[in-house]
Amino acid sequence: ALNEEQAKEAVFDVAREMVYANAKLNKRIKPYTKTMVAMHSASRFQLLSGSKRGKHGKNLSAMIGDEVHEWENREVMDALRTSMVTRSQPVEIYLTTAGFDKNSLCYELHEYCMDIQEGELDDPTFFGKIYAADAEDDWTDPKTWAKANPNLGVSVRLDFLRDECAKAKRLPTYENTFKRLHLNIWTEQD
């Protein structure tokens, strides 16, 4: 993620809670503050910040990048991706909502994914899934919200989105925020 705190909260702490909650994982994995170690293989799950410093020279099997729309450039992704050169089946996972900077790494990944989804590009090494409303959809309609939130009513509360939509209707300056962060629609400005 952009910084260590965000990476810790959004990815690392969630994974650590999964270890604590599962008896089998708890026997095999030792959690620490910024690392979890699988004792039998000496494999580790490590918290990394979005800083480009210190990212070269790693030997990753997998990486999870969170909130890619906030990343300033592709330096961290490229450093970590190239560290996977010795792996036969490396995995990269990127999570994000839409942004507004169409000259960004996030938009590059978004367009690449869309080209594959629309059949314009064939890349069997890349799987991408974008849950988003279409720009022409009625952004105030709960049916549109469901397109961008497949877990609507489970982990994403319908009443919360209703309140946020009402706020966006009252405050035009909040409309783009609602569209970007709740409907995954790329906007022209923040």
Side-chain angles (χ1 to χ4, degrees):
L2 186 63
N3 59 47
E4 189 174 283
E5 181 182 344
Q6 184 180 29
K8 185 175 186 313
E9 290 175 5
V11 178
F12 186 82
D13 285 351
V14 174
R16 187 171 50 194
E17 290 304 316
M18 292 169 70
V19 170
Y20 288 140
N22 184 294
K24 288 182 181 178
L25 288 177
N26 206 308
K27 287 179 185 174
R28 298 178 63 126
I29 298 173
K30 178 77 174 150
Y32 298 98
T33 306
K34 295 183 181 183
T35 305
M36 290 186 282
V37 179
M39 304 310 278
H40 66 286
S41 65
S43 300
R44 68 178 185 235
F45 185 90
Q46 183 176 358
L47 172 66
L48 297 174
S49 74
S51 167
K52 67 181 179 181
R53 294 182 55 106
K55 299 305 182 286
H56 289 276
K58 301 218 176 279
N59 187 13
L60 302 182
S61 296
M63 67 178 235
I64 302 171
D66 190 38
E67 297 300 355
V68 181
H69 73 277
E70 291 187 331
W71 294 16
E72 295 174 8
N73 55 50
R74 63 180 308 116
E75 289 181 47
V76 172
M77 182 185 83
D78 289 345
L80 296 176
R81 174 180 281 158
T82 57
S83 80
M84 299 178 174
V85 69
T86 64
R87 304 299 181 170
S88 60
Q89 295 182 324
V91 174
E92 297 171 65
I93 299 170
Y94 298 101
L95 312 164
T96 194
T97 50
F100 60 88
D101 182 359
K102 293 188 177 177
N103 293 311
S104 65
L105 167 65
C106 187
Y107 194 69
E108 175 186 322
L109 291 171
H110 175 271
E111 290 300 285
Y112 195 80
C113 184
M114 292 302 296
D115 287 348
I116 291 171
Q117 282 183 195
E118 293 168 0
E120 295 175 23
L121 182 64
D122 180 34
D123 182 351
T125 69
F126 185 97
F127 172 78
K129 183 63 183 164
I130 297 173
Y131 293 100
D134 294 319
E136 344 32 87
D137 289 342
D138 176 3
W139 62 272
T140 66
D141 186 346
K143 289 178 186 162
T144 299
W145 307 345
K147 287 175 73 174
N149 297 278
N151 223 17
L152 186 62
V154 181
S155 64
V156 177
R157 292 184 2 249
L158 183 59
D159 62 329
F160 179 82
L161 285 187
R162 238 185 230 113
D163 291 346
E164 292 295 287
C165 182
K167 179 180 175 182
K169 286 180 190 175
R170 286 189 313 271
L171 302 169
T173 57
Y174 189 68
E175 182 179 327
N176 279 350
T177 301
F178 180 81
K179 287 179 177 179
R180 261 191 359 269
L181 302 182
H182 297 297
L183 302 180
N184 289 318
I185 296 173
W186 281 81
T187 61
E188 295 297 320
Q189 59 190 1
D190 191 11

